[in-house]
Amino acid sequence: MSEQSTSSTTVVRHFRQILLWPLQLMPIRPGTQIQEHWELLDQEIAENPWRELLDEFTPDGKEFQLRHYSEFVTFLPYVQRFIYGESRAKKEMGNKDEEPGSSPMRVYRRHDIASVRMVTSRGALPIVLSIAHIDLYFFYDIDVVMLNVEVHADNLTLPQVQELLYRFGRAYPAGWDEHGDGLHSLHSLQWLDKDGAVLAQSDSGDRDKFLSFVSKHRAPRISSHWFFLMKPLVLDHVEEQGVIRYRQIEYYRMPVMGLIAVDEPRKVPRNDFIRLGLGIGAGNGNDNSMPYSESHVADFEKQFCDDRFWCDVGPSPNTRYLAGGRTLIVVGDAQSKYFLDNERGVLAQFRHQHFLLFLIAHFQRAALLMFADRLAEALKKLDIGATDSVRRFKRSVRQNFEIFLRFTHRYWFHEVSEQSQARSLFDLTFHHLKLDALFDEVRERMHSMDQYLDTDSTRRHTNTVLRLTVVTTFGLIGTITTGFIGMNLIALTEIPLIEKIIFFLVIFAPIAFLTFYTIVKSRRLSDFLDVLSDESVSARDKFRALIDVWRKKRMIDE
């Protein structure tokens, strides 16, 4: 078999694809820091297919299997607490928001969809893939949800697999071609139940729906099959009622994982590995054609590949891992029993350990983007001329800063495992997603916003002290003067009560007016006191500074 025909004729004995779709959840209790959206899915709601997925950590251990143990010990202790929680009660901490031993991560699953039928492009044959599971991942204290869809099939061609990896995870079409088909998206998709009945189908070819939605809402419209999949969660911009509303926070192309088992991995051409690693679709039929220039992909293996098992030895020889941040692909030998072992082999690691480290990295990215979006939203709503708006802005920034601190100490970490394979894949994913740079940017925004609030509070406090000092200084004149009245210079002790009240009001009115007038002029009076206390200033200039207290001039912005 020549290398030129290898790509189109290569049979993928087993193919598995996992999609992750990070979304930002809108508040259900405005003003409350911890929203707990998942509680709404536990209520009796019509047409709610989501049910909480209980973990395998049961007291009797009957559900706990070898693959669960292998998954657990892969991660470092603080990552284990994030993913699985702890069994010991935390009474000494007094934390009543979380159940003792519960995981900060809640998973909900739907079981009504059994398979999916897809046509990658006009004229292509339909492909039916089985649904392994469809899950929603919620996270305590972070308003992010991640949709997870896992599908699998046997005996596909490599170009079909490349097209599925490229086109399946698209929230909406990027545009339309001359035939009216959505660009870069599937030609059609249908969710099927266990009897093969169609539950929902895509509408990427209905261009007018997408155009009118963007024109009206200035936000992208989600394709109908993804909209169906998320119910009763609904897009924030639609008029339809939903128990939970979400908005897009990431790129419209979903992060994707793929496992590809072929008979002879070594015969897969380099350009096909490049397409898989970079998430590019199938070529134009010429297997030797590169998707980009040779100089652009010259260091592809160094930047995207983990080739420690790309050799003829080991339990699963000739296995190559490709990590591009938004993609995580593993290609291996279909003849290797260890590679396709779903209990302890590469397939089990791919579905569990590698999926979790991929999820952690993208959760961190989604959470950071959520913080950045919230700060921008708070600034957009700020009206510095309205006291209530300023108060809401300060409260919003303070709350987000507190949540960001908790995120940093609970969910932010650079290392997830000491196992070399898992550590390498996480490092590659972390690097390509540029999470460090994103974290530094969001942290700088948070700190600059918090610093601004502290500076503003200090400024207001200083101005208040300044005005009180000025009022007190000038009030000394009146205090000393009126003190003589208390020394019986004017005998008012024997006069009737009504006359005392009249005298009180006569004195109170001008004193009150003088006090408030002094407050109004306190800024200019403060300037006058500064000049008056300066011995280098002449008497004439000091008198001129006194006159400036009442002279009309442009007020300096405080």
Side-chain angles (χ1 to χ4, degrees):
M1 182 181 296
S2 65
E3 183 175 304
Q4 184 173 359
S5 61
T6 299
S7 177
S8 59
T9 58
T10 298
V11 177
V12 177
R13 299 300 180 185
H14 182 73
F15 169 62
R16 194 165 290 260
Q17 181 173 359
I18 299 176
L19 293 177
L20 277 179
W21 190 17
L23 296 164
Q24 180 179 351
L25 297 172
M26 307 309 294
I28 54 176
R29 292 184 292 270
T32 303
Q33 287 194 9
I34 301 175
Q35 297 287 320
E36 298 181 335
H37 294 81
W38 58 84
E39 291 184 346
L40 297 180
L41 294 182
D42 292 329
Q43 300 176 3
E44 293 295 331
I45 304 172
E47 300 180 359
N48 175 25
W50 301 101
R51 297 293 180 268
E52 184 172 7
L53 181 64
L54 301 179
D55 58 40
E56 297 82 6
F57 292 81
T58 55
D60 55 15
K62 293 182 178 180
E63 301 295 328
F64 199 77
Q65 302 175 18
L66 176 61
R67 60 181 175 85
H68 301 135
Y69 180 81
S70 300
E71 171 191 309
F72 179 82
V73 299
T74 297
F75 299 99
L76 291 170
Y78 49 84
V79 185
Q80 292 172 352
R81 288 190 287 271
F82 162 43
I83 300 174
Y84 312 104
E86 290 185 278
S87 62
R88 64 183 181 88
K90 301 179 181 179
K91 297 179 181 179
E92 70 277 6
M93 297 177 61
N95 187 355
K96 298 180 180 179
D97 293 325
E98 287 186 274
E99 299 175 5
S102 64
S103 169
M105 186 169 63
R106 303 293 181 93
V107 185
Y108 285 74
R109 176 172 294 180
R110 61 184 301 167
H111 301 273
D112 56 327
I113 303 176
S115 59
V116 54
R117 182 190 296 128
M118 292 180 276
V119 177
T120 56
S121 58
R122 181 180 291 266
L125 295 175
I127 303 173
V128 178
L129 294 92
S130 300
I131 300 291
H133 55 250
I134 302 175
D135 297 334
L136 285 176
Y137 284 80
F138 294 90
F139 303 89
Y140 182 81
D141 203 18
I142 303 295
D143 295 342
V144 166
V145 65
M146 303 188 78
L147 174 68
N148 165 226
V149 179
E150 180 180 338
V151 297
H152 59 91
D154 296 330
N155 299 322
L156 302 176
T157 65
L158 185 57
Q160 285 179 317
V161 166
Q162 290 172 329
E163 287 293 281
L164 290 174
L165 290 170
Y166 179 68
R167 297 177 181 273
F168 181 23
R170 305 275 180 167
Y172 48 84
W176 292 267
D177 60 17
E178 64 275 12
H179 303 294
D181 296 330
L183 291 177
H184 310 306
S185 59
L186 294 167
H187 178 71
S188 67
L189 179 147
Q190 294 175 327
W191 300 118
L192 309 176
D193 64 13
K194 61 181 181 179
D195 297 323
V198 177
L199 299 175
Q201 59 186 6
S202 61
D203 61 348
S204 58
D206 196 341
R207 183 177 59 184
D208 292 339
K209 284 185 178 180
F210 292 90
L211 294 180
S212 60
F213 191 93
V214 172
S215 176
K216 180 179 180 181
H217 300 285
R218 304 189 184 189
R221 175 184 180 273
I222 303 300
S223 295
S224 58
H225 58 289
W226 295 117
F227 191 84
F228 166 82
L229 203 63
M230 293 296 297
K231 283 186 175 181
L233 287 74
V234 298
L235 189 65
D236 187 43
H237 302 88
V238 301
E239 290 79 11
E240 183 176 341
Q241 295 296 321
V243 295
I244 304 173
R245 308 188 79 84
Y246 61 87
R247 65 189 301 179
Q248 186 178 348
I249 193 174
E250 270 269 30
Y251 186 51
Y252 84 109
R253 186 178 179 184
M254 305 171 193
V256 60
M257 297 175 62
L259 180 137
I260 300 169
V262 296
D263 289 333
E264 297 178 285
R266 285 283 183 176
K267 290 189 176 182
V268 177
R270 180 172 184 263
N271 71 302
D272 281 319
F273 278 113
I274 293 174
R275 293 180 182 279
L276 291 171
L278 300 181
I280 305 171
N284 55 10
N286 182 3
D287 290 323
N288 294 323
S289 63
M290 287 290 179
Y292 301 114
S293 66
E294 187 62 43
S295 60
H296 183 72
V297 295
D299 60 346
F300 171 78
E301 285 76 12
K302 180 180 179 181
Q303 294 291 330
F304 295 92
C305 297
D306 184 331
D307 283 345
R308 70 187 65 209
F309 300 120
W310 192 236
C311 55
D312 293 328
V313 297
S316 180
N318 299 319
T319 300
R320 166 172 275 188
Y321 292 85
L322 310 167
R326 303 190 65 84
T327 58
L328 180 57
I329 310 296
V330 55
V331 180
D333 193 345
Q335 304 304 317
S336 169
K337 293 183 179 180
Y338 183 79
F339 183 78
L340 292 178
D341 190 335
N342 199 26
E343 186 66 25
R344 67 185 72 197
V346 175
L347 177 58
Q349 296 171 3
F350 172 83
R351 298 186 63 203
H352 300 281
Q353 291 96 310
H354 299 162
F355 165 72
L356 285 173
L357 64 87
F358 193 70
L359 179 140
I360 290 171
H362 283 278
F363 161 69
Q364 291 177 338
R365 176 176 171 82
L368 292 172
L369 292 175
M370 180 204 70
F371 287 122
D373 181 77
R374 281 185 169 182
L375 289 179
E377 193 72 16
L379 279 172
K380 184 176 69 174
K381 296 179 179 179
L382 174 62
D383 181 4
I384 59 176
T387 304
D388 290 341
S389 177
V390 174
R391 188 180 298 111
R392 286 193 299 269
F393 172 75
K394 289 183 176 182
R395 183 167 57 248
S396 176
V397 172
R398 296 293 188 193
Q399 286 184 351
N400 279 286
F401 186 72
E402 293 170 5
I403 297 174
F404 181 74
L405 286 177
R406 294 197 295 269
F407 164 80
T408 301
H409 292 282
R410 172 179 280 175
Y411 299 123
W412 178 253
F413 26 76
H414 290 78
E415 296 182 357
V416 298
S417 175
E418 282 299 321
Q419 294 184 10
S420 59
Q421 176 75 55
R423 184 173 66 246
S424 173
L425 293 178
F426 185 78
D427 289 345
L428 281 172
T429 303
F430 196 95
H431 167 72
H432 286 296
L433 291 178
K434 301 179 180 179
L435 291 182
D436 268 331
L438 180 59
F439 178 82
D440 291 340
E441 179 183 350
V442 174
R443 180 176 58 181
E444 183 178 350
R445 291 186 186 184
M446 284 283 184
H447 282 289
S448 62
M449 198 73 72
D450 188 65
Q451 185 178 10
Y452 162 75
L453 294 181
D454 290 340
T455 303
D456 183 69
S457 298
T458 302
R459 180 185 65 84
R460 291 176 180 273
H461 178 72
T462 302
N463 287 339
T464 301
V465 172
L466 175 66
R467 285 168 169 78
L468 290 175
T469 302
V470 171
V471 172
T472 302
T473 302
F474 284 90
L476 284 175
I477 301 173
T479 301
I480 296 175
T481 302
T482 55
F484 284 98
I485 299 178
M487 298 172 64
N488 296 326
L489 293 178
I490 302 177
L492 299 178
T493 57
E494 303 298 332
I495 64 175
L497 176 61
I498 187 63
E499 294 184 18
K500 290 182 180 180
I501 295 176
I502 293 174
F503 270 104
F504 173 80
L505 294 177
V506 169
I507 296 174
F508 174 80
I511 293 299
F513 172 79
L514 181 62
T515 301
F516 287 111
Y517 183 75
T518 305
I519 294 175
V520 173
K521 296 293 184 179
S522 60
R523 185 60 181 264
R524 296 190 182 186
L525 288 171
S526 174
D527 296 338
F528 166 67
L529 291 178
D530 289 338
V531 175
L532 187 65
S533 62
D534 191 348
E535 295 180 356
S536 63
V537 178
S538 64
R540 181 179 180 181
D541 290 337
K542 292 179 179 180
F543 180 75
R544 185 178 300 169
L546 177 61
I547 298 301
D548 286 341
V549 174
W550 294 276
R551 182 181 299 169
K552 291 183 178 181
K553 61 180 180 179
R554 181 176 61 87
M555 295 298 293
I556 299 176
D557 186 14
E558 296 182 352

